[in-house]
Amino acid sequence: MQPIAFIGLGNMGAPMALNLLKAGFPLRVFDLAAEPLRRLAEAGAQVASSPADAVASAEIVITMLPASKHVRSLYLGDAGVLASAKPGALLIDCSTIAADAARDVAAAATALGYTMIDAPVSGGTGGATAGTLTFIVGGTAEALERARPALSAMGKNIFHAGGSGAGQVAKICNNMLLGVQMIGTIEAINLGVASGVDAKVLSEIMAKSSGRNWTLEVYNPWPGVMETAPASRGYAGGFGSDLMLKDLGLAAEAAETAQQPIALGALARELYKQHSEAGHGALDFSSLREQA
Ligand code: NAD
């Protein structure tokens, strides 16, 4: 099986890398933090001392970083991925970043003879752990086929959204809808509880009624309603509020470029901005319930 380099072992990257190991891919990993490297080493990965050391002999490079600036600097910087990867390697960025940043990095990669796709994911940390993520790919059909065996080891659904950057556009539309749905779900449960209905009973009713959505089905924001949701572990782990704020900012940028109004997306961004400024940016995005 083709050797893979995996860089960025956070809440999402670490479980994705573990699934590649389980599927039998030889894996070389790098992160700025020591703890996830230790976990991956225990599971059988080789730990690299730098990004250059991680990618030097890999056929496939996968990155899972917080935001555009991290991706730009890791790929384009001195001793970065493009300066160090094996000629002809396949580069897969799974981070959620601006479509323009994805296109810039892919163009620089292509100019050097690499093949690159943007492949942001949906499905949360639960999907990353279970290997059931949805990959939303931007790039050529041939590049997607090269990536398919590795993506299949980490996910269940693989969509081809279009050319370079299209994966990021589709992902941002999805996450804007997710942010709006989370806020709507929080408001509905808060209203029900304030009016005397039990949060779990109300959630079960809405999950089988026309208000049904992903946050009600697998990610309930009310503590104790769903054991596996971040709300039931003090909003730790999961999808950080600052990452949701970042995605709503990307949606605002895309809306400006496309001259497309997004009234609810803009309101959701403002509410997450206030939540972050109140010091809750590191908590899961369902923690907005505590502010609402
Ligand atoms: P995270 O903050 O938990 O992890 C990011 C990791 O990248 C950290 O371990 C950090 O040390 C590492 N890192 C940063 N810069 C680095 C560098 N230069 N070299 C090596 N490592 C570096 O973030 P996450 O929750 O894993 O999310 C990663 C991406 O996936 C984000 O773009 C996010 O929007 C997206 N995403 C997250 C979720 C989720 O539920 N958490 C779901 C879908 C998509």
Side-chain angles (χ1 to χ4, degrees):
M1 285 175 112
Q2 290 192 310
I4 296 180
F6 202 115
I7 302 177
L9 306 162
N11 289 330
M12 295 294 287
M16 290 165 71
L18 286 170
N19 280 327
L20 289 170
L21 277 176
K22 260 189 233 157
F25 286 99
L27 200 65
R28 214 167 156 76
V29 294
F30 179 72
D31 194 287
L32 299 176
E35 168 58 23
L37 290 175
R38 196 188 52 71
R39 267 182 64 203
L40 264 296
E42 270 174 17
Q46 293 176 345
V47 172
S49 57
S50 65
D53 177 33
V55 303
S57 57
E59 296 290 339
I60 301 175
V61 175
I62 302 178
T63 49
M64 191 49 161
L65 302 169
S68 302
K69 64 177 181 189
H70 307 94
V71 173
R72 281 188 191 276
S73 90
L74 181 75
Y75 277 86
L76 307 176
D78 293 342
V81 173
L82 298 193
S84 322
K86 204 172 159 178
L90 171 65
L91 314 177
I92 305 174
D93 180 39
C94 295
S95 328
T96 303
I97 64 169
D100 284 350
R103 288 189 197 107
D104 288 352
V105 175
T110 306
L112 291 169
Y114 298 110
T115 299
M116 183 158 188
I117 58 173
D118 42 297
V121 305
S122 179
T125 48
T129 304
T132 57
L133 290 171
T134 293
F135 285 92
I136 310 167
V137 174
T140 65
E142 296 73 36
L144 190 159
E145 288 316 312
R146 262 182 84 187
R148 192 176 290 279
L151 300 185
S152 299
M154 302 181 284
K156 199 169 63 171
N157 301 304
I158 302 170
F159 290 106
H160 189 195
S164 180
Q168 297 295 352
V169 173
K171 166 69 185 169
I172 285 311
C173 293
N174 178 76
N175 273 30
M176 183 180 77
L177 181 58
L178 173 64
V180 169
Q181 281 180 337
M182 178 57 85
I183 293 168
T185 297
I186 287 169
E187 278 194 8
I189 300 178
N190 279 353
L191 174 62
V193 171
S195 310
V197 179
D198 179 77
K200 191 166 190 170
V201 171
L202 177 61
S203 296
E204 281 167 6
I205 292 168
M206 293 194 296
K208 292 277 182 272
S209 303
S210 45
R212 174 181 172 201
N213 69 77
W214 186 84
T215 68
L216 275 173
E217 286 175 324
V218 301
Y219 217 89
N220 196 294
W222 195 277
V225 169
M226 204 166 268
E227 281 316 308
T228 50
S232 295
R233 49 172 195 267
Y235 300 104
F239 180 44
S241 296
D242 277 345
L243 289 178
M244 175 52 86
L245 178 59
K246 171 206 62 163
D247 289 357
L248 291 165
L250 293 176
E253 277 173 37
E256 180 136 353
T257 306
Q259 289 290 293
Q260 177 61 47
I262 49 162
L264 289 180
L267 178 57
R269 184 187 186 197
E270 180 54 33
L271 293 174
Y272 273 104
K273 184 163 166 277
Q274 289 170 15
H275 191 52
S276 181
E277 283 168 0
H280 308 299
L283 295 179
D284 179 74
F285 80 119
S286 59
S287 65
L288 192 74
R289 191 199 70 81
E290 298 196 318
Q291 303 298 113

